[in-house]
Amino acid sequence: MKRWFLLCLLVLCEPALAATTPPAAAIATAHPLATEAGHEILAAGGNAFDAAVAITATLAVVEPTGSGLGGGGFWLLHRAKNGYQTMLDGRERAPLAAKRDMYLDAKGEVIPNLSVDGALAAGIPGIPAGIAHLAAHYGKLPLRKTLAPAIRHARNGFAISESYRRMAQFRLEALRASTSAASIFLHENDVPPLGHLLKQPDLADTLEAIAKQGAAGFYNGALADKLIKGVRRAGGIWTHKDLTSYRLSERQPLQGTYRGIRITSAAPPSSGGIALISALNILAGYDLKALEPVARAHLITEALRRAYRDRAIYLGDPDQVAVPVARLTAPLYADGLRASLRTDRATPSNTLPGNATLSAGNDTTHFSVLDKQGNRVAATLSINFPFGSGFVAPGTGVLLNDEMDDFSAKPGVPNVYGLVGGEANAIAPGKRPLSSMSPTFLESKNGVAILGTPGGSRIISMVLLSTLDFAAGNNPASWVGLKRFHHQFLPDVIQHEPGTFSAEQAASLTQLGHTLKEVTDPYGNMQAILWDRKNNKVKAASDPRGEGTATVR
Ligand code: DON
């Protein structure tokens, strides 16, 4: 009897033990060729980290609007073998000759577009260092193998899409201003026709130099010479020392919990993890699932308002300013923020102390990878605006970023996107600009999620909404397809996609004291994976707003 009881306890009465390795691998990226490149490397015996190298490099070729060797980003890693988690911080750094007021005129006014277009807008790239570091410390395959798909696409060319054409039109003037950029990314100095085969032989050579020499193929030698010469001729301030002294940083990811879900997300110099965890800590005080949509949207808005207020005041490069991470992510601190929150009316932002940092870019990319061992990568990478600064140093094929615009050019004064920043994010030599990029893992007893998205300051609210959808038990297709809304403290408005709220819901939110603003186009391009450990299934989804693919194999 006793033995029977024990057996029952072990076999019948216990829930099935969660699977320890996934039944399939999954990759979700913003471009079909990048998703395929990742699978090609997994099939060749590579792990998720090798696949991430291949995807990062392929996106640099086939999605030049979003990221590239001339940009930066964050790779969040989970090693299945020992559960080790880390964030590779390949964020751009300000050149050593950068000055706090370098984008201001003699009167102290911000010079429009100087931090957006051309060589002076570019920070020192971190993606080449990220690729080399990933391969050397986490991958199994040599760069010669993992960079092969990217080199192939750069040499043979790929057909450009409608979204490429839209972005090229948007950045036409900046691209035309750089002869090298125009000769690569335009056709007869104009937006190329749909299906135009874009070949990038110089970029293929640059990738080959990295395949042979690792990071030194980019930061030293002949390529570095071309970068410095090109940038300086075009009015930039880079020096060889900027390139040779660039170092990738490994940072401990931030962790929080929300209703039994463990959140692992980006550490500073991203604001993502802090703002996400802080907003979730505030929301943990309410039973969101039991609320009707208006009350729920109101609380989410109020949580975001407070999290973004703190972002504006306290956050910057942790190597140069003291960021109070522990305090801002503490549940006790959130209890204090919640105390000022009223369920029956909006709190006007101007009644809270502080000013604003609103970072709304237009491009960037995210990808998610899970391999069959359970290794994971969530990576958000950027050159900031579509086609970055629009500048290519002759002979390199490398489109440079305009991530310097993520600094506050002048504390308190809005930049071209209406962005205002504080002291913590002022420009300084070698400093990393504050980011919103938020590659994230979510873990509950039932499953693991890998997700992230581009979208400037709205990245954090998108990841938050999807986290709540994961908590509600929904699937990746639902997370990426959710109608989105956003609040970032200032401007004091709820931005939302068309169709997020019904007319009655919008009226009720207005009644509560909110101002609603419909954005003209849908936003974001989320790439997500779920390993449902309870049912031992893997699911993946690519945002329907983009042209990416998500495949499980
Ligand atoms: O790091 C950041 O926060 C920005 N440079 C990201 C820009 C971005 O996501 C643009 N996307 N649509």
Side-chain angles (χ1 to χ4, degrees):
M1 175 68 185
K2 209 170 166 193
R3 198 181 285 170
W4 177 89
F5 180 74
L6 257 177
L7 195 72
C8 163
L9 210 71
L10 282 171
V11 180
L12 301 171
C13 308
E14 278 280 285
L17 280 179
T20 49
T21 52
I27 298 178
T29 86
H31 198 287
L33 292 174
T35 304
E36 274 316 305
H39 279 299
E40 180 183 323
I41 293 305
L42 291 182
N47 60 19
F49 313 119
D50 293 307
V53 171
I55 295 167
T56 301
T58 302
L59 287 169
V61 175
V62 302
E63 200 196 21
T65 54
S67 67
L69 297 181
F74 306 117
W75 296 260
L76 187 64
L77 313 182
H78 171 95
R79 194 150 51 187
K81 190 169 66 185
N82 53 5
Y84 177 73
Q85 307 205 115
T86 186
M87 182 184 96
L88 305 192
D89 169 7
R91 182 71 164 164
E92 296 89 338
R93 294 180 68 195
L96 295 167
K99 296 211 166 55
R100 184 189 172 92
D101 57 357
M102 62 189 275
Y103 299 117
L104 307 185
D105 65 16
K107 288 196 204 123
E109 306 297 336
V110 175
I111 304 167
N113 297 331
L114 208 56
S115 60
V116 179
D117 299 336
L120 193 62
I124 308 305
I127 285 185
I131 287 176
H133 190 93
L134 252 178
H137 298 273
Y138 297 94
K140 300 200 294 188
L141 301 179
L143 283 169
R144 179 175 48 78
K145 271 231 162 85
T146 49
L147 296 187
I151 294 170
R152 204 167 62 225
H153 293 307
R155 285 229 187 279
N156 300 345
F158 71 98
I160 64 145
S161 65
E162 200 47 59
S163 120
Y164 177 103
R165 297 187 72 240
R166 237 187 358 262
M167 297 300 181
Q169 182 66 48
F170 178 64
R171 295 294 279 149
L172 196 54
E173 289 318 310
L175 290 167
R176 279 178 176 161
S178 161
T179 317
S180 298
S183 71
I184 300 167
F185 299 107
L186 301 178
H187 179 63
E188 292 168 2
N189 221 26
D190 226 320
V191 177
L194 188 64
H196 167 83
L197 199 63
L198 180 63
K199 293 187 181 179
Q200 302 172 79
D202 284 346
L203 184 58
D205 290 346
T206 297
L207 284 162
E208 260 164 21
I210 297 173
K212 284 199 191 93
Q213 304 163 48
F218 185 90
Y219 297 96
N220 301 79
L223 190 88
D225 290 344
K226 285 183 200 166
L227 286 170
I228 299 301
K229 198 166 141 197
V231 163
R232 296 191 73 88
R233 277 208 178 147
I237 53 173
W238 291 14
T239 63
H240 276 285
K241 190 159 179 229
D242 280 310
L243 294 177
T244 54
S245 65
Y246 185 90
R247 291 285 174 277
L248 184 119
S249 290
E250 284 214 24
R251 306 205 188 258
Q252 198 180 349
L254 295 197
Q255 293 210 311
T257 50
Y258 173 77
R259 296 190 166 247
I261 295 166
R262 186 160 64 148
I263 296 113
T264 305
S265 192
S270 173
S271 59
I274 292 179
L276 179 65
I277 290 166
S278 163
L280 287 168
N281 283 343
I282 297 172
L283 291 172
Y286 308 94
D287 185 5
L288 288 188
K289 270 197 223 161
L291 295 176
E292 42 83 29
V294 170
R296 194 170 171 276
H298 168 70
L299 292 177
I300 293 171
T301 298
E302 294 302 319
L304 286 169
R305 182 197 308 280
R306 287 158 176 80
Y308 275 85
R309 192 276 311 257
D310 285 349
R311 179 196 194 276
I313 299 172
Y314 299 112
L315 305 193
D317 181 356
D319 290 344
Q320 298 212 11
V321 295
V323 180
V325 178
R327 173 156 68 91
L328 297 177
T329 55
L332 195 66
Y333 178 72
D335 291 346
L337 295 179
R338 203 184 305 111
S340 69
L341 196 161
R342 288 182 57 162
T343 52
D344 63 340
R345 60 183 291 186
T347 313
S349 288
N350 62 15
T351 64
L352 297 172
N355 59 18
T357 303
L358 321 177
S359 177
N362 282 2
D363 219 271
T364 300
T365 199
H366 177 87
F367 69 82
S368 296
V369 184
L370 171 73
D371 70 17
K372 281 191 194 164
Q373 287 70 50
N375 297 309
R376 304 174 217 152
V377 180
T380 313
L381 310 170
S382 182
I383 48 173
N384 203 23
F385 290 19
F387 292 99
S389 65
F391 178 78
V392 173
T396 65
V398 178
L399 193 49
L400 298 187
N401 69 84
D402 54 0
E403 223 79 55
M404 291 294 286
D405 196 69
D406 277 349
F407 281 117
S408 43
K410 179 178 173 181
V413 173
N415 71 0
V416 283
Y417 279 99
L419 319 181
V420 192
E423 195 54 43
N425 192 31
I427 303 173
K431 193 174 175 185
R432 286 164 150 91
L434 184 62
S435 173
S436 299
M437 295 188 284
S438 315
T440 297
F441 301 143
L442 306 172
E443 285 164 82
S444 71
K445 63 182 191 316
N446 295 334
V448 173
I450 308 169
L451 72 159
T453 180
S457 63
R458 296 182 191 136
I459 290 171
I460 302 165
S461 59
M462 285 188 260
V463 174
L464 175 80
L465 293 176
S466 297
T467 300
L468 297 174
D469 205 38
F470 170 86
N474 292 325
N475 283 323
S478 169
W479 317 336
V480 304
L482 286 177
K483 287 282 183 194
R484 294 167 175 153
F485 66 94
H486 173 75
H487 193 288
Q488 58 183 33
F489 180 57
L490 290 175
D492 191 351
V493 292
I494 299 178
Q495 304 173 34
H496 64 89
E497 291 185 307
T500 302
F501 301 114
S502 69
E504 296 93 78
Q505 288 168 350
S508 303
L509 285 166
T510 309
Q511 196 86 53
L512 285 169
H514 295 289
T515 305
L516 270 64
K517 183 165 178 252
E518 184 173 290
V519 299
T520 45
D521 293 315
Y523 61 83
N525 195 5
M526 186 173 281
Q527 312 295 330
I529 294 172
L530 170 67
W531 172 17
D532 173 349
R533 296 182 73 172
K534 202 163 142 204
N535 300 304
N536 203 24
K537 283 208 172 92
V538 175
K539 294 175 183 170
S542 183
D543 201 313
R545 299 159 185 82
E547 58 188 27
T549 48
T551 51
V552 178
R553 274 181 210 163

